[in-house]
Amino acid sequence: MLLEGKIAIVTGAASARGIGRATAKAFAEQGAHVAILDLDLEAARQAATELGEGHLGLAANVADEAQVRDAVAQVLARYGRIDVLVNNAGITQPVKTLEITGKDYDRILDVNLRGTLLMSQAVIPTMREQKSGSIICMSSVSAQRGGGIFGGPHYSAAKAGVLGLCKAMAREFGADNIRVNAITPGLIQTDITGGLMHDERRHAIIEGIPLGRLGEARDVAHAALFLASDLSSYLTGVTLDVNGGMLI
Ligand code: NAD
C-alpha cells in the first residue's frame, strides 16, 4: 500500500463526481486515513463514511482562517499527525475580463489562492515537527494557457498564483522535508465543468486533445496519489500536467 497509515486532508472532497472525492478514494484504497474537508458538514461526513472506517468529515470554508485552524486542530486531535494535504477546493466563474466585478475577483481569489495559503499555513508547523509532509496544490491548465476553456481571467490568475505559491513553499520548506507540488488538470468531467459546455464546444475541445478524450477525476487522483506517496520522494516544486496532451 502506498499510503499505509498516513493521515491526509483533502479539501473540497465532498462533491460526488469531483477530483477531491476521487483523490480521497484513491488515498483510502492505499491505506490512508482521510479527512474530507468541505463547506457542508453533512456532505463531508457522508463522503467520509462512504470511504469506509477510520475517515473524518469536516466543515470549513478554506478562505476563512479561523475555520481552517479549527478544522486542522480537529484532524490533529483525532490522528495526532498530518502527512498529506491536498489543496483541491476551488471555484470558477465563466466571465470575461470586462465583466469581472470586485466582488467576483475577491471570491475567486479567496477560495482558490487564499484558501491554498491558509490551509498550507495551518499544516506546515506540524509537518515541520514531523520532518516530513507532502502538499499538493490543484492549479489548472487555465493558468498555463490563459483560460479559454472554462473559468474567467480571475480564475486563471488565481490558479497561476497557486503555482507561484507552491514553488515558493517548495523552496522554503525543502529543508524540513516538506515537498510541495502542483497539478494542472486539463478538462476533467466533474460538476464544475458539467454545466459550462454544450456538445459542439465539447467536441471542438476534444479535437485539440491528443489522447482524444476529456479527463476523468481518477486521472487526476492518480497523479495526486503519486505526489502524496514516497514514489515521488525526490520531487518538489514540480507541476504535473494532467491534460491528455492538450499543451503539446
Ligand atoms: P467540484 O466543483 O466538483 O468540487 C469542488 C469542491 O470544492 C466542492 O465539493 C465544493 O463544495 C468545494 N468548495 C468550494 N468552495 C469551497 C470553500 N470555500 N471551502 C471548502 N470547500 C469548498 O470541482 P472539481 O472539478 O472537482 O475541481 C477540483 C479542483 O480542480 C478545483 O480547484 C478546480 O479549480 C480544479 N480544476 C478542475 C478542472 C476540471 O476540469 N474539473 C480543471 C482544472 C482544475
Side-chain angles (χ1 to χ4, degrees):
M1 298 258 229
L2 289 173
L3 297 178
E4 187 67 58
K6 300 276 189 199
I7 309 304
I9 301 176
V10 185
T11 70
S15 166
R17 288 189 340 128
I19 291 169
R21 175 76 80 93
T23 301
K25 189 162 175 280
F27 285 9
E29 284 168 0
Q30 289 297 323
H33 299 287
V34 186
I36 289 192
L37 186 153
D38 212 301
L39 288 170
D40 181 77
L41 183 59
E42 271 321 301
R45 283 190 172 151
Q46 177 64 30
T49 304
E50 284 175 21
L51 291 182
E53 293 280 305
H55 309 287
L56 185 62
L58 296 167
N61 173 356
V62 293
D64 182 308
E65 189 170 357
Q67 291 183 28
V68 162
R69 299 242 166 230
D70 182 59
V72 170
Q74 289 184 58
V75 176
L76 283 173
R78 166 88 180 259
Y79 301 108
R81 58 182 292 121
I82 298 167
D83 299 293
V84 181
L85 165 66
V86 184
N87 283 311
N88 170 76
I91 55 169
T92 188
Q93 186 190 26
V95 293
K96 298 204 184 307
T97 302
L98 299 183
E99 298 158 5
I100 299 170
T101 66
K103 234 180 166 175
D104 295 336
Y105 176 89
D106 287 347
R107 204 167 56 86
I108 296 293
L109 271 284
D110 266 358
V111 178
N112 291 291
L113 186 53
R114 186 196 298 266
T116 298
L117 175 66
L118 292 179
M119 284 299 307
S120 303
Q121 285 177 323
V123 304
I124 283 172
T126 300
M127 290 181 170
R128 258 185 148 165
E129 274 176 32
Q130 295 168 184
K131 280 268 170 225
S132 76
S134 173
I135 298 177
I136 298 152
C137 301
M138 219 47 87
S139 176
S140 169
V141 70
S142 297
Q144 299 162 306
R145 46 168 283 162
I149 297 184
F150 74 94
H154 50 350
Y155 177 77
S156 295
K159 291 302 197 184
V162 166
L163 290 182
L165 175 62
C166 192
K167 282 177 204 270
M169 292 194 297
R171 192 177 281 282
E172 190 174 343
F173 299 108
D176 298 298
N177 194 29
I178 301 171
R179 301 184 296 108
V180 190
N181 294 293
I183 298 176
T184 40
L187 199 58
I188 313 298
Q189 304 190 72
T190 67
D191 289 343
I192 221 175
T193 46
L196 298 176
M197 261 186 307
H198 49 80
D199 283 352
E200 219 169 277
R201 175 109 176 86
R202 179 182 293 258
H203 192 68
I205 290 168
I206 290 174
E207 282 198 335
I209 301 175
L211 287 182
R213 64 171 176 89
L214 299 184
E216 304 281 340
R218 68 169 181 276
D219 293 321
V220 183
H222 291 160
L225 178 60
F226 169 66
L227 291 175
S229 79
D230 287 343
L231 288 180
S232 60
S233 54
Y234 201 48
L235 269 70
T236 197
V238 308
T239 304
L240 291 188
D241 294 352
V242 184
N243 62 21
M246 195 185 264
L247 290 185
I248 294 170

